[in-house]
Amino acid sequence: QVQLVESGGGLVQAGGSLRLSCAASGRTFSSYYMGWFRQPPGKEREFVAGISKSGGTANYGDSVKGRFTVSRDNAKNTVYLQMNNLKPEDTAVYYCAAAWDIGYFSDYANSPYDYWGQGTQVTVSS
């Protein structure tokens, strides 16, 4: 069992930055691929970023490439999402998730995730 708790959300002006954190319980954090997803108001959930177990490989959704950076610290059981140059369309509830397996093709966006956090709100004002 893994419990995930996100933090770091808030209200920021367009062009600003935020860093989200996701703290995981348990001793097996390094055994999981980690992903960040978001759900804008009235829209479906979408993939934001994913990171391999070691942190050596990352993958991003098209809308955040070049602006967001995902990282992890396995010693602290934490995954981060650094968000720069935020835009009003980045407004959403952000969720972290843990996956035991993301398949042969490393499909972070569409693989089933085993655990989800409760989400943290990010609001970007124009």
Side-chain angles (χ1 to χ4, degrees):
Q1 188 79 5
V2 176
Q3 292 186 330
L4 303 173
V5 179
E6 301 97 336
S7 61
L11 174 64
V12 64
Q13 289 188 333
S17 298
L18 281 175
R19 188 176 83 154
L20 304 184
S21 299
C22 172
S25 65
R27 299 180 180 180
T28 59
F29 176 72
S30 61
S31 298
Y32 289 88
Y33 298 94
M34 297 300 295
W36 284 98
F37 292 79
R38 67 186 183 187
Q39 187 163 16
K43 297 184 180 180
E44 293 187 352
R45 186 175 64 199
E46 63 177 346
F47 171 73
V48 175
I51 190 166
S52 62
K53 296 178 183 181
S54 68
T57 303
N59 187 268
Y60 298 92
D62 289 340
S63 61
V64 307
K65 283 180 181 177
R67 300 188 298 123
F68 290 11
T69 302
V70 60
S71 62
R72 67 189 295 165
D73 186 338
N74 285 342
K76 296 182 178 179
N77 282 10
T78 302
V79 61
Y80 305 97
L81 185 67
Q82 178 66 44
M83 306 185 295
N84 297 329
N85 190 22
L86 283 160
K87 304 176 181 181
E89 51 264 42
D90 294 318
T91 294
V93 178
Y94 284 71
Y95 301 90
C96 69
W100 182 260
D101 182 15
I102 57 170
Y104 181 80
F105 295 103
S106 299
D107 190 355
Y108 287 93
N110 299 301
S111 294
Y113 282 74
D114 301 286
Y115 302 101
W116 291 83
Q118 83 290 347
T120 185
Q121 176 71 47
V122 172
T123 303
V124 184
S125 63
S126 58

